[in-house]
């Protein structure tokens, strides 16, 4: 199965991520599922890992869920 991590973060933290990418579109973003964090531009934000059963084989993970 294809797995893409799906994480949720606070609105404030998502705004930090968006600002970093807007200022430098080449910003590398690392989603560390084990540490439950996203790292970018020398920053890290805590995230909640979300999972959904796709109804097909295995589990599918979706990238970002903005609440």
């Amino acid at each position: 199965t294809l797995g893409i991590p799906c994480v949720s973060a606070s609105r404030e933290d998502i705004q930090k991520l968006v600002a970093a990418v807007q200022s430098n579109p080449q910003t590398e973003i690392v989603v560390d599922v084990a540490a439950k964090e996203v790292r970018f531009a020398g920053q890290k934000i805590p995230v909640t890992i979300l999972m959904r059963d796709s109804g097909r084989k295995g589990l599918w993970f979706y990238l970002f869920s903005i609440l």
Side-chain angles (χ1 to χ4, degrees):
T1 64
L2 174 66
I4 300 172
C6 175
V7 300
S8 178
S10 73
R11 184 170 302 277
E12 179 180 296
D13 285 338
I14 291 169
Q15 289 171 343
K16 290 178 191 176
L17 175 60
V18 169
V21 173
Q22 285 177 334
S23 71
N24 180 5
Q26 300 301 318
T27 299
E28 180 178 353
I29 300 169
V30 176
V31 179
D32 187 333
V33 175
K36 296 183 181 176
E37 66 185 20
V38 172
R39 295 187 298 272
F40 59 95
Q43 300 181 63
K44 63 182 176 180
I45 58 174
V47 295
T48 301
I49 310 300
L50 306 174
M51 294 188 291
R52 288 196 179 167
D53 185 345
S54 69
R56 299 188 175 124
K57 289 183 178 181
L59 295 174
W60 291 73
F61 300 84
Y62 301 94
L63 186 52
F64 278 102
S65 175
I66 301 175
L67 303 175

